[in-house]
Amino acid sequence: MTQRPQDDQPPPLPSQNGAGGIPEVIPTYQPPAVVGHGGVARQSQDRIDTYFGQVDRVGRFPLAQETRINAGMSTVRLDLREVIVPGETVEIRLAVWMSNVRLVVPPGTEVALQVNASMGDARLEVDAKAQGTPPTGTRVVISGWSTMSDIRVRAFALGTKPRAGWRWTRPK
């Protein structure tokens, strides 16, 4: 048997034009951070997943432009007073079941509470001392659904003594 010259050759490399071969692997795309009002860099999205647990975010923490909260039989507490910048809009999307969600916003923040609550409660409370605060242009949009859950948004100033049930807002 005579050996042909092409049998000594290594196999051809995959084609660059997509006509066969191994497909090109493209790394996962990370969108750039969104620069908000006042030069604060914000990631476009964040996610909080908790089941049978508790998540507390108090003080200064990185807040995304849109935060998705998925919770089952849990407690999620976010204090946005030190992280939100006047004039910006932040979205919080909820998908919660048998959970408690507590959000604290600075006085003068416009809150759009658009939650479909089934067998639960979704309410906005403004502290009496913060009633006359002029609008800051800040907007927090809370949307999504909750089943057998309690959603509470409260506006009160830093340095105000929180009432019972809201004392977790104090920095440790």
Side-chain angles (χ1 to χ4, degrees):
M1 178 171 178
T2 60
Q3 186 174 10
R4 290 193 259 173
Q6 65 259 28
D7 288 343
D8 291 337
Q9 304 272 333
L13 292 173
S15 170
Q16 294 294 328
N17 63 8
I22 302 171
E24 183 178 318
V25 177
I26 300 172
T28 306
Y29 173 73
Q30 287 288 350
V34 176
V35 177
H37 224 70
V40 176
R42 298 233 184 264
Q43 291 294 326
S44 60
Q45 287 189 343
D46 187 19
R47 188 177 180 129
I48 298 173
D49 293 316
T50 179
Y51 300 96
F52 306 103
Q54 179 172 322
V55 174
D56 290 337
R57 291 189 181 175
V58 179
R60 296 191 158 274
F61 61 90
L63 179 68
Q65 198 73 30
E66 177 185 306
T67 301
R68 293 179 182 263
I69 299 174
N70 300 313
M73 299 182 80
S74 300
T75 299
V76 177
R77 302 186 296 198
L78 304 178
D79 185 350
L80 305 178
R81 295 177 298 170
E82 292 184 53
V83 295
I84 201 164
V85 177
E88 74 176 335
T89 298
V90 175
E91 294 181 57
I92 298 175
R93 298 186 188 254
L94 302 174
V96 294
W97 175 73
M98 293 181 70
S99 297
N100 289 319
V101 177
R102 302 283 186 264
L103 300 166
V104 179
V105 297
T109 301
E110 178 189 346
V111 177
L113 191 57
Q114 305 163 348
V115 177
N116 293 327
S118 173
M119 295 178 18
D121 196 16
R123 109 172 65 150
L124 170 64
E125 302 170 357
V126 179
D127 192 44
K129 294 177 184 175
Q131 289 282 348
T133 305
T136 60
T138 306
R139 188 164 193 246
V140 177
V141 179
I142 303 160
S143 62
W145 62 267
S146 69
T147 302
M148 297 192 302
S149 297
D150 201 18
I151 314 299
R152 296 242 200 289
V153 182
R154 187 135 194 258
F156 61 90
L158 277 171
T160 304
K161 181 179 177 183
R163 66 179 205 206
W166 294 88
R167 295 206 171 102
W168 57 269
T169 59
R170 292 183 185 176
K172 295 186 172 44

